[in-house]
Amino acid sequence: YLDSVSARIVDPNNRWTLSNTTIEDGALTFVDNTSAAQFAVHTNTSMMDIGGAYEITLNVNRTSGSFRVLSGTGASTLTPAISINSSGTQTFRVTNDTNGGKLYLYTDTGENFIGTVDNITVREYAIQPQDV
């Protein structure tokens, strides 16, 4: 059981599966690739439990285009899709709907994201009861 995963510097030592992306100087790099999808998948299969809520924070240096942040176990189970189309620190919450969910950073052929992503943090999000 993991309640917090942090990859302060994205590094290539078997923690990510890459397709048409690279890891350079501690950052995940997407380059213009209009003929194929680009993605990075974190290899930790127990990163997100089914039905769990998670807060994801990442730093984006965007030149153009957009990419999506997803959780799931494969292309047919990726939910929800958060679209990132600006530079800066991005923080959002997701609920994982599949058992053994992984973190996907994904750009399809039409999105053409050019830029880098680093300082990725995934934390379990616990909703605190409100006294109203």
Side-chain angles (χ1 to χ4, degrees), residues 11-72:
D11 71 46
N13 61 4
N14 298 327
R15 293 184 185 145
W16 295 90
T17 299
L18 305 175
S19 178
N20 299 315
T21 57
T22 61
I23 295 178
E24 299 173 10
D25 297 326
L28 176 65
T29 301
F30 290 80
V31 295
D32 189 16
N33 188 344
T34 57
S35 62
Q38 302 177 91
F39 63 84
V41 181
H42 199 278
T43 57
N44 186 345
T45 58
S46 61
M47 180 180 286
M48 298 184 212
D49 292 329
I50 190 167
Y54 297 88
E55 182 177 85
I56 299 172
T57 301
L58 43 84
N59 188 50
V60 178
N61 185 359
R62 174 189 172 270
T63 301
S64 65
S66 63
F67 71 95
R68 290 173 282 153
V69 179
L70 312 107
S71 65

Side-chain angles (χ1 to χ4, degrees), residues 78-99:
L78 297 177
T79 58
I82 306 296
S83 183
I84 305 292
N85 58 11
S86 62
S87 290
T89 300
Q90 311 285 332
T91 300
F92 46 89
R93 289 182 207 95
V94 299
T95 301
N96 184 49
D97 295 331
T98 58
N99 203 9

Side-chain angles (χ1 to χ4, degrees), residues 22 27 57 68 73 76 87 105 108 116-117 120 128:
T22 61
T57 301
R68 290 173 282 153
T73 57
S76 63
S87 290
L105 305 179
D108 213 343
T116 61
V117 180
I120 301 167
Q128 299 295 322

